[in-house]
Amino acid sequence: MPLQVYNSYSRKKEVFESITPGHVGMYVCGPTVSGESHLGHARPYVTFDIVYRYLTYKGYKVRYVRNITDAGHFEEEGREAEDKVSKKALLEKLEPMELVQKYTNLYHWAMRRFNNIDPTIEPTATGHIVEQINMIQKIIADGYAYVVNGSVYFDVKKYAANHDYGKLSGRVIDELLETTRELEGQEEKRDRADFALWKSAAPEHIMRWTSPWGEGFPGWHIECSAMATKYLGAEFDIHGGGMDLQFPHHESEIAQSTICNHKAPVRYWMHNNMITINGKKMGKSYNNVIKLTELFSGDHPLLTQAFHPMTIRFFILQSHYRSTLDFSSEALTASEKAFKRLWDAYETLKQLNFTGSASSGEGFDAELDAKINTWLNEFEEFVDDDFSTPKVLANMFEMTPIINSLKDGLLPSTAIAPATLQLMKDKFNVFLEDIFGLQAISGADNEALKGVMQLLIDIRKEAKTKKDFATSDKIRNQLAELGISLKDEKGGEMSWSIE
């Protein structure tokens, strides 16, 4: 069966065919680094890490672009209009780029703990202001944007007259008008449904750039369109993100990219569903936002213990990416036990070594052998069916008691053919480790230690640059007390070792 993906735009599964044979261009909306990454960031980045890994396994050369939003995007429909980065920088008494670097480092640290592979390109919004301005100029030239008081707005009604605006999110213009909130600057627009491509910066606005329309900053949506176009072209294969981004973000991306590049930008839109916590949507109003550092440490009132990143990754993979995922401390505890049971069976499987018969001989169980082969051959079929990771895990759990029975001698070593045993080893290895990105918790902890040390080194370098020698010395001395030696090398580099 060929790979099929559910296209959010057409609302149906479609056979995946890349624009350029053997190559895939994939763009996934990255985080706004105005604060710590939270549980809501875990699901999309684990989900699209699986997509990246599986496409690579299928033989594609994948260019995976995942951006960093560091320009403090201007949020519109249904949200408070604010410059998130500048606002948080003032609260933390940091320069905006200090704040951005701090939370980018934390985000990268968390992604390493989840064993997510780095994207091939990770552009920042602030690094592509020129591309955004150029794109806006093209949209103005084509008559689909207008300038008011130094701000630029996209003309949604004009676009909707000849295009399917609202098709991705399932909304129509009348509904958009009814649900659009009155926000600052709305009186400038020709229509309440129009969205900002560029905003004029008020005097107190910290992050600002020179543009043909005066000093200002980019709208949220244009950032992703400009970066995706630059690195993947006018049309690319996959655009991913959370379902909450369908409107207004992805709907706006489609509109502005279509006008600028004269073609629809994306062949397959993929969206993971939302996370709930104890049955409630995660949000500040519910006081149930769990930061990833809190999840890993257990330091949150909704958690009864700390949870390892591999447990969380496994928990995410137990549900299909398009289904709602409900987190609770109890569910994670159950997942922790299940993951241990499966991984222990995998470790046992790697040690099994016996000689049976392929088709006959004493103790050979032809029915069992055939069943195991069916389960194993279904692995790829399931992932080919819109990345159905839960079904693969279910098959693995079907084989777990068989593996344990072979180890304990409850099944004779001749029960299955040697070729079947080898296929089990190969399939478990490829799907658990290479495609699902799971690791033994001890091995993952070693990787986590490397990530933590790199984070501390980055903080210490920053402290030394600021001549904050008290912080620099504190990090070195406290690590020494823990038996970790931190050594300053030439050129400002640092190395570490466990004594």
Side-chain angles (χ1 to χ4, degrees):
M1 185 177 78
L3 173 62
Q4 295 188 83
V5 300
Y6 182 85
N7 191 342
S8 303
Y9 194 79
S10 64
R11 289 178 174 74
K12 64 182 181 182
K13 287 181 188 177
E14 298 176 2
V15 173
F16 180 77
E17 293 181 0
S18 60
I19 296 167
T20 303
H23 294 258
V24 172
M26 180 169 76
Y27 187 92
V28 175
C29 290
T32 298
V33 285
S34 58
E36 271 197 58
S37 296
H38 52 70
L39 188 53
H41 292 124
R43 192 175 198 188
Y45 304 131
V46 169
T47 294
F48 289 101
D49 184 60
I50 300 297
V51 173
Y52 182 25
R53 287 169 177 271
Y54 192 64
L55 288 170
T56 302
Y57 163 77
K58 297 286 277 187
Y60 290 102
K61 182 174 176 55
V62 184
R63 175 174 285 184
Y64 176 17
V65 182
R66 187 183 68 207
N67 74 296
I68 295 287
T69 298
D70 59 351
H73 65 247
F74 181 81
E75 298 186 302
E76 291 205 34
E77 318 304 334
R79 308 185 188 195
E80 181 185 358
E82 64 180 5
D83 177 349
K84 296 176 76 174
V85 170
S86 292
K87 186 175 180 180
K88 195 72 179 291
L90 287 170
L91 286 173
E92 296 198 20
K93 295 182 171 57
L94 296 171
E95 282 292 323
M97 284 298 107
E98 285 183 295
L99 181 99
V100 161
Q101 193 61 54
K102 172 184 174 180
Y103 289 120
T104 299
N105 288 344
L106 268 173
Y107 165 71
H108 286 152
W109 169 77
M111 293 304 101
R112 286 193 294 268
R113 294 216 67 191
F114 282 126
N115 196 31
N116 285 344
I117 299 173
D118 292 337
T120 44
I121 300 175
E122 191 174 55
T124 62
T126 54
H128 295 78
I129 299 296
V130 170
E131 289 83 357
Q132 293 165 57
I133 290 172
N134 289 342
M135 194 169 223
I136 294 168
Q137 288 177 313
K138 289 180 183 178
I139 296 169
I140 293 172
D142 280 347
Y144 284 86
Y146 54 93
V147 183
V148 182
N149 300 327
S151 295
V152 185
Y153 295 98
F154 188 88
D155 191 332
V156 170
K157 272 203 167 178
K158 182 173 182 179
Y159 175 82
N162 299 301
H163 302 84
D164 284 332
Y165 186 78
K167 181 175 178 179
L168 177 69
S169 57
R171 303 188 184 203
V172 296
I173 288 291
D174 290 342
E175 290 176 353
L176 298 178
L177 292 173
E178 289 171 8
T179 57
T180 300
R181 296 174 61 197
E182 289 290 352
L183 302 175
E184 181 185 351
Q186 291 279 3
E187 69 279 356
E188 294 181 341
K189 300 179 182 181
R190 293 177 184 170
D191 197 286
R192 288 174 60 191
D194 296 348
F195 58 85
L197 295 170
W198 186 267
K199 284 294 292 181
S200 175
E204 67 275 9
H205 202 286
I206 300 173
M207 300 181 77
R208 58 204 299 138
W209 291 266
T210 300
S211 81
W213 317 287
E215 287 202 347
F217 56 97
W220 174 25
H221 318 307
I222 197 69
E223 296 173 351
C224 284
S225 283
M227 289 183 279
T229 299
K230 177 165 184 174
Y231 296 110
L232 297 174
E235 182 185 16
F236 54 96
D237 298 295
I238 296 173
H239 194 314
M243 196 173 286
D244 58 323
L245 296 179
Q246 287 185 345
F247 182 85
H249 188 46
H250 291 161
E251 203 74 77
S252 301
E253 274 192 66
I254 292 171
Q256 62 202 12
S257 294
T258 298
I259 293 304
C260 182
N261 299 322
H262 308 294
K263 61 171 65 178
V266 178
R267 183 171 282 194
Y268 304 95
W269 284 91
M270 294 180 66
H271 293 91
N272 62 275
N273 211 323
M274 295 297 92
I275 282 173
T276 56
I277 299 179
N278 296 317
K280 289 184 178 179
K281 181 181 178 182
M282 188 175 71
K284 291 179 182 178
S285 59
Y286 293 111
N287 196 31
N288 65 354
V289 174
I290 304 176
K291 297 173 184 175
L292 293 179
T293 51
E294 294 170 333
L295 201 58
F296 301 158
S297 68
D299 186 20
H300 191 281
L302 293 177
L303 300 173
T304 57
Q305 65 175 80
F307 291 101
H308 196 281
M310 283 300 107
T311 298
I312 299 160
R313 187 179 181 100
F314 177 74
F315 180 71
I316 290 170
L317 296 180
Q318 283 184 295
S319 294
H320 191 272
Y321 76 92
R322 286 192 291 110
S323 64
T324 302
L325 183 60
D326 187 52
F327 271 79
S328 69
S329 203
E330 294 76 17
L332 283 170
T333 301
S335 194
E336 181 179 64
K337 292 175 181 175
F339 178 54
K340 184 179 186 305
R341 188 168 79 252
L342 180 60
W343 200 267
D344 285 348
Y346 173 48
E347 293 290 350
T348 296
L349 175 62
K350 288 191 285 187
Q351 301 303 317
L352 288 177
N353 190 14
F354 53 83
T355 303
S357 169
S359 59
S360 61
E362 186 177 350
F364 179 69
D365 188 334
E367 184 178 346
L368 177 63
D369 190 85
K371 191 179 291 185
I372 291 171
N373 275 279
T374 297
W375 284 328
L376 294 170
N377 290 326
E378 285 176 337
F379 284 10
E380 194 158 340
E381 291 178 25
F382 291 151
V383 186
D384 276 340
D385 185 14
D386 195 33
F387 305 95
S388 187
T389 58
K391 290 184 177 180
V392 176
L393 292 174
N395 275 16
M396 288 181 173
F397 278 112
E398 291 282 4
M399 287 177 272
T400 294
I402 296 170
I403 293 167
N404 291 331
S405 293
L406 288 166
K407 179 194 72 170
D408 297 335
L410 299 176
L411 274 175
S413 61
T414 54
I416 62 174
T420 300
L421 175 65
Q422 188 59 50
L423 185 62
M424 285 177 75
K425 291 183 178 185
D426 293 343
K427 290 277 189 175
F428 269 67
N429 173 258
V430 167
F431 280 82
L432 273 181
E433 296 199 49
D434 298 345
I435 296 172
F436 289 1
L438 293 164
Q439 296 175 311
I441 284 180
S442 58
D445 284 339
N446 291 336
E447 291 300 312
L449 176 59
K450 292 177 186 176
V452 170
M453 286 306 302
Q454 188 57 53
L455 184 65
L456 288 171
I457 285 171
D458 289 343
I459 293 171
R460 188 164 180 262
K461 281 182 180 177
E462 186 179 331
K464 291 184 78 173
T465 300
K466 296 179 181 176
K467 301 190 184 304
D468 180 5
F469 299 114
T471 299
S472 172
D473 291 343
K474 182 179 180 181
I475 292 172
R476 184 188 60 200
N477 295 338
Q478 291 196 358
L479 284 174
E481 290 175 12
L482 295 170
I484 299 174
S485 174
L486 195 59
K487 184 180 179 183
D488 292 310
E489 306 283 0
K490 291 181 180 178
E493 294 303 309
M494 301 178 198
S495 61
W496 62 277
S497 60
I498 299 176
E499 296 175 343

